């Protein structure tokens, strides 16, 4: 029998108690504390749930007074608008972004939510709100991570009237920054092959909308934001509030500065083409909105969020296995896959220390190009006369796991599936069906399509020893019709599609607990905390050109953990016609989950030798990269030098990666100052080359952080990595 110590028992909350939230009954206030963060709200004299504080930790409850609404500003900005409501319904003269907007059966569109009740949860609290007249109930959930202070907010909107209602906006809630001006917004924008570009703009009066109307989270804007006070934060200093939505469909984050110097952020389902009918007794849950705060600049914001993701979002939690080194055949063979060709590549991959061999597109149906075959998930017997078994056994025999590419949500017009079920493709009747990459989306909001997806994937994984699926999704939506449902319900497709996608992934994972999955969408078109709950890794970008990748990865790392960031070494010349040395390409890719996507059939012997050495080095530092704390020391957005450093959680190892884009005028590379080390500790230096001059075998933390390193990076696209082991 397990024994639990009294000390542990004392920490366990009993029913109605919470480790992070408390209720100050005399002032009707709730205070949530976690990490270095306090979040407080209360009930005002009108019974509205009003925001009080979000920022650096407070220490004294007595400092907080009872909550009072903000008065009208003349007859034009009523108290409804000036009062920072946590979850305002659209009604009573509300001019800021509402958290929820509803049309009732009788035509009433006025919604005023008042506090009804609350319940403390072990890691947060639930607050129930109700309209002043109608039985429209909203349950807000606030969960705070005691370690990082990350807050998770979510809302459930329930129709308890006796008639249908239509929800026109369903947001997780509103977040408020301390009143003031001069805040700056950071977002991650881009396009195919150029994702997660860092964009910074001052927040001015009015709204700035970050959103996707494409059916998925999108390459164009990632559902993440950061806001810093005074536009002055840097990697190490400054107040930064940040957040992200956990949703893989149409999303919207509205950042607004009111005329009353109030910056507020509202996040949830996109209101574009949105209308969600709820019958009596039904409810709609919004996606979760995650939000954090730090006074330690963008660097600390990233580290907190990465840690939170690893602990609370990504499958398996903190002690999950390390990401294996992967080989993917796409750039080597494209659609021309067959058993002998893949076996030959697998043998070469095994030689350089690859642990997982992944066969990409082209293995199924009549898939010889992107014109045909999507939807027909049976092995192409011309290419694989013995099924997948022969190849998989060979790969396993070489000591590697086997992974496979699929694109389950799509169909080519030229496929048996489409010939059998043309109605399964997303469409409006009697309207053209727009194709992209010659393919259409299956309407996964339909139950039969959902069952078909689960069925073939389950069969594929049950019948073959498949350790990993690269789950692709190569287009955005068009003609989002759902003719089989009542016209009033057809817009639900935006939501139901995503819920069904999550259900298929959840069921598949539950039935095959060892299966690992990558979310890919022509690169980074579906990277968000909704999908990341269900996949081990994401494909960062189809652009694998190493210098572009440094910039894409710089953006990615603002929001997401390195463990999830799949990065391949590929051949040159690559995009932009650029050629960088193999070592440079390896070191760029080693800053996340390392993969190799090159055509190994063309590699000279010396490339194999270098690759083996570098893969071996990666295996010695990957725990630190994948699970450690990231310090961005020099940004590719700012100069020729890029440097990133990872420090293992317990501080035993630090790894530096440094890249020089282009040396000019014979100038030495800038000095690199390490961070996050123990000043008093001595570190053993592990070099992979001679870029760190001298032959010091040991250096102190103080030296590395204060004196810094003058690396001999020269010419164009030079690079190095150094590992430091604390003695
Ligand atoms: C997408 C992916 C690529 C590759 C191709 C296959 O573009 O991002 O990595 O898998 O599809 O068709």
């Amino acid at each position: 029998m397990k024994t639990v110590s009294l000390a542990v028992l004392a920490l366990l909350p009993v029913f109605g108690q919470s480790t992070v939230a408390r209720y100050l009954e005399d002032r009707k206030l709730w205070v949530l504390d976690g990490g270095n963060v306090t979040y407080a709200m209360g009930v005002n004299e009108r019974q509205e749930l009003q925001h009080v504080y979000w920022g650096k930790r407070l220490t004294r409850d007595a400092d907080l007074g009872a909550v009072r609404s903000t008065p009208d500003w003349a007859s034009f900005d009523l108290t409804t608008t000036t009062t920072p409501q946590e979850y305002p319904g659209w009604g009573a003269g509300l001019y800021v972004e509402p958290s929820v907007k509803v049309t009732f059966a009788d035509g009433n569109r006025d919604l005023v939510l008042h506090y009804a009740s609350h319940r403390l949860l072990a890691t947060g609290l639930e607050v129930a709100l109700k309209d002043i007249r109608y039985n429209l109930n909203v349950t807000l959930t606030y969960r705070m991570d005691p370690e990082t202070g990350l807050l998770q907010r979510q809302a459930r909107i329930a129709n308890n009237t006796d008639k249908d209602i239509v929800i026109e906006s369903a947001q997780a809630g509103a977040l408020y920054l301390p009143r003031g001006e001069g805040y700056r917004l950071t977002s991650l924008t881009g396009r195919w092959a150029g994702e997660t570009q860092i964009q910074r703009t001052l927040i001015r009066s009015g709204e700035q909308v970050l959103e996707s109307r494409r059916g998925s989270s999108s390459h164009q804007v990632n559902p993440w934001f950061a806001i810093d006070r005074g536009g002055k934060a840097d990697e190490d200093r400054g107040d930064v509030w940040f957040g992200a939505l956990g949703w893989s469909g149409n999303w919207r984050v509205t950042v607004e500065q009111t005329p009353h110097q109030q910056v507020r952020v509202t996040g949830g389902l996109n209101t574009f083409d949105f209308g969600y009918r709820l019958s009596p007794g039904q409810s709609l849950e919004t996606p979760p909105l995650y939000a954090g705060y730090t006074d330690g600049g963008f660097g600390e914001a990233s580290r907190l969020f990465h840690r939170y993701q690893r602990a609370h979002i990504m499958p398996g939690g903190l002690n999950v296995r390390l990401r294996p080194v992967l080989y993917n055949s796409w750039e080597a063979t494209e659609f021309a896959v067959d058993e002998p060709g893949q076996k030959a590549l697998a043998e070469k991959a095994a030689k350089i220390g690859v642990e997982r061999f992944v066969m990409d597109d082209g293995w199924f149906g009549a898939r010889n190009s992107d014109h045909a075959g999507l939807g027909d998930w049976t092995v192409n017997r011309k290419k694989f006369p013995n099924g997948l078994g022969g190849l998989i056994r060979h790969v396993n025999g070489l000591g590697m796991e086997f992974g496979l590419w699929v694109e389950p949500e799509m169909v080519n017009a030229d496929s048996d599936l489409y010939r059998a079920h043309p109605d399964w493709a997303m469409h409006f009747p009697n309207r053209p069906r727009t194709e992209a990459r010659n393919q259409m989306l299956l309407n996964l909001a339909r139950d039969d399509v959902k069952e078909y997806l689960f069925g073939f994937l389950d069969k594929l994984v049950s019948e073959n020893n498949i350790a990993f699926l690269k789950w692709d999704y190569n287009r955005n939506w068009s003609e989002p019709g759902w003719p089989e449902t009542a016209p009033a319900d057809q817009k639900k497709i935006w939501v139901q599609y995503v819920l069904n996608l999550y259900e298929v992934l959840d069921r598949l994972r539950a039935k095959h607990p060892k299966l690992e999955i990558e979310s890919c969408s022509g690169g980074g078109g579906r990277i968000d905390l909704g999908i990341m709950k269900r996949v081990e890794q994401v494909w960062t970008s189809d652009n694998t050109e190493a210098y572009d990748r440094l910039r894409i990865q710089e953006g990615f790392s603002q929001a997401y953990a390195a463990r999830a960031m799949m990065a391949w070494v590929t051949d040159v010349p690559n995009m932009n016609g650029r050629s960088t040395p193999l070592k440079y390409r390896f070191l760029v890719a080693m800053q996340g989950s390392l993969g190799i996507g090159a055509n190994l059939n063309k590699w000279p012997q010396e490339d194999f030798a270098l690759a083996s050495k570098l893969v071996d080095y990666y295996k010695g530092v990957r725990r630190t990269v994948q699970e450690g704390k990231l310090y961005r020391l020099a940004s590719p957005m700012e100069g020729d030098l890029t440097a990133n450093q990872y420090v293992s959680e317990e501080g035993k190892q630090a790894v530096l990666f440094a890249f020089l884009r282009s040396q000019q005028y014979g100038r030495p590379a800038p000095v690199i100052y390490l961070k996050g080390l123990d000043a008093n500790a001595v570190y053993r230096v592990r070099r992979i080359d001679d870029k760190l001059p001298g032959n010091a075998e040991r250096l102190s933390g103080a030296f590395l952080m204060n004196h810094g390193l003058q690396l001999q990076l020269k010419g164009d696209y030079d690079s190095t990595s150094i590992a430091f082991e604390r003695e």
Side-chain angles (χ1 to χ4, degrees), residues 708-720:
L709 297 176
Q710 174 66 70
L711 301 179
Q712 305 268 305
L713 296 172
K714 291 194 153 85
D716 293 340
Y717 303 110
D718 202 358
S719 60
T720 191

Side-chain angles (χ1 to χ4, degrees), residues 529-567:
L529 295 184
I531 204 87
M532 282 169 80
K533 254 193 149 137
R534 295 160 172 97
V535 300
E536 277 70 17
Q537 62 191 49
V538 296
W539 181 223
T540 316
S541 178
D542 276 350
N543 184 349
T544 54
E545 194 280 302
Y547 179 70
D548 281 1
R549 257 307 174 96
L550 275 185
R551 294 174 151 236
I552 292 170
Q553 293 179 183
E554 174 93 351
F556 183 99
S557 78
Q558 304 292 319
Y560 303 113
R563 184 170 89 195
M565 185 177 79
M566 186 67 296

Side-chain angles (χ1 to χ4, degrees), residues 192 328 330 335 360-361 367 405 407 437 470 472 474 520-523 539 542 568:
W192 175 78
N328 179 294
W330 173 245
F335 298 98
D360 211 278
D361 200 349
R367 187 75 171 164
W405 181 93
E407 193 177 4
R437 208 194 189 206
K470 173 177 168 183
D472 214 334
N474 274 310
C520 172
S521 171
W539 181 223
D542 276 350
W568 296 353

Side-chain angles (χ1 to χ4, degrees), residues 217 246-248 501-502 505 519 526-535 538:
S217 32
W247 189 243
S248 312
L501 169 68
Y502 289 167
L505 284 161
S519 169
R526 194 156 64 186
I527 299 175
D528 59 78
L529 295 184
I531 204 87
M532 282 169 80
K533 254 193 149 137
R534 295 160 172 97
V535 300
V538 296

Side-chain angles (χ1 to χ4, degrees), residues 656-704:
L656 171 69
F657 293 93
F659 307 88
L660 186 71
R661 181 191 192 186
S662 169
Q663 187 184 23
Q664 281 139 43
Y665 314 109
R667 283 201 294 239
V671 174
I672 296 173
Y673 301 94
L674 270 60
K675 289 179 185 168
L677 302 179
D678 176 353
N680 297 316
V682 172
Y683 295 82
R684 183 182 290 275
V685 181
R686 234 171 83 205
R687 299 167 167 82
I688 58 165
D689 54 30
D690 56 2
K691 301 291 169 185
L692 174 62
N695 46 13
E697 283 180 9
R698 292 180 173 73
L699 291 167
S700 70
F703 180 90
L704 291 166

Side-chain angles (χ1 to χ4, degrees), residues 175-323:
L175 297 165
Y176 294 83
L177 274 64
R179 219 163 67 84
E181 289 180 313
Y183 285 97
R184 180 174 59 167
L185 172 67
T186 305
S187 54
L188 299 173
T189 62
R191 59 178 183 170
W192 175 78
E195 299 86 337
T196 54
Q197 304 292 306
I198 298 170
Q199 177 170 290
R200 298 211 151 102
T201 102
L202 278 185
I203 297 177
R204 302 190 188 282
S205 288
E207 281 194 351
Q208 288 182 43
V209 175
L210 309 174
E211 65 168 352
S212 166
R213 300 177 176 190
R214 294 164 177 270
S216 63
S217 32
S218 95
H219 300 82
Q220 284 70 15
V221 197
N222 189 275
W224 171 90
F225 66 90
I227 298 175
D228 65 301
R229 178 154 31 203
K232 283 192 298 234
D234 59 22
E235 283 293 316
D236 305 306
R237 276 167 295 269
D239 294 300
V240 181
W241 291 260
F242 57 96
L245 277 168
W247 189 243
S248 312
N250 279 6
W251 60 273
R252 175 174 159 124
V253 169
T254 308
V255 180
E256 60 186 323
Q257 179 179 295
T258 73
H260 307 278
Q261 297 78 47
Q262 178 65 67
V263 170
R264 61 198 297 282
V265 181
T266 305
L269 296 171
N270 202 325
T271 50
F272 176 79
D273 196 39
F274 188 78
Y276 200 98
R277 180 165 70 152
L278 282 187
S279 296
Q282 289 184 332
S283 61
L284 172 66
E285 185 162 65
T286 72
L289 174 62
Y290 301 93
Y293 162 82
T294 177
D295 62 353
F298 296 114
E300 187 61 14
S302 300
R303 287 186 289 277
L304 286 170
F305 210 18
H306 297 171
R307 167 86 192 174
Y308 176 78
Q309 286 159 24
R310 293 199 301 107
H312 301 288
I313 305 277
M314 299 170 68
L318 286 176
N319 299 315
V320 79
R321 76 185 268 218
L322 295 175
R323 310 302 312 132

